[in-house]
């Protein structure tokens, strides 16, 4: 059945494109923030901390306060995660990411593959606004 082969091939192509987006997202975050994310990339983004740091990498103080885990409380409450994600999305809009390219809160907080692709697209767009600063200039 040729149409069946077409569908299978289309799904394989879609999966390959998703892999590319997700791999690119990991690479961008790890190289720019000089961090190593765990094997489960979507889950490592759900608390919004890394995303807030990326926003601040693009535009210093874009997110003025970030809730971060501590040794005493290694996992943030869902309210604090939500606040981080809201702050990240607000920073994306403020920095100039087009509204139709800004992912949703659930895209970040529900780590499914298709959601992570949307997060990757948002981060890619956000990074287009990054202007490297000259290290010699006074801040």
């Amino acid at each position: 059945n040729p149409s069946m082969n077409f569908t299978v091939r289309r799904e394989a192509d879609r999966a390959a494109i998703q892999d590319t987006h997700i791999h690119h997202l990991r690479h961008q975050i790890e190289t720019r923030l000089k961090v190593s994310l765990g094997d489960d990339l979507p889950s490592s983004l759900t608390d919004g901390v890394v995303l807030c740091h990326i926003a601040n990498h693009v535009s210093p103080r874009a997110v003025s306060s970030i809730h971060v885990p501590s040794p005493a409380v290694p996992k943030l409450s869902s309210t604090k995660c939500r606040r981080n994600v809201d702050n990240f999305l607000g920073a994306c809009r403020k920095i100039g990411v087009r509204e139709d390219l800004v992912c949703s809160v659930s895209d970040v907080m529900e780590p499914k593959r298709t959601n992570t692709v949307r997060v990757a697209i948002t981060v890619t767009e956000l990074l287009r606004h990054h202007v490297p600063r000259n290290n010699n200039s006074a801040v």
Side-chain angles (χ1 to χ4, degrees), residues 24-92:
H24 183 69
L25 176 64
R26 172 188 295 279
H27 176 73
Q28 290 288 1
I29 292 172
E30 290 186 340
T31 54
R32 288 168 188 263
L33 297 183
K34 298 176 177 50
V35 295
S36 178
L37 300 172
D39 289 338
D40 186 355
L41 178 64
S43 295
S44 64
L45 302 177
T46 55
D47 65 6
V49 174
V50 168
L51 295 173
C52 287
H53 285 304
I54 275 286
N56 285 345
H57 168 78
V58 171
S59 178
R61 294 175 295 285
V63 179
S64 54
S65 117
I66 304 173
H67 295 284
V68 294
S70 65
V73 187
K75 193 159 172 46
L76 292 180
S77 70
S78 61
T79 307
K80 287 182 175 173
C81 293
R82 171 73 194 240
R83 207 161 294 144
N84 281 343
V85 173
D86 281 337
N87 288 340
F88 164 72
L89 297 175
C92 287

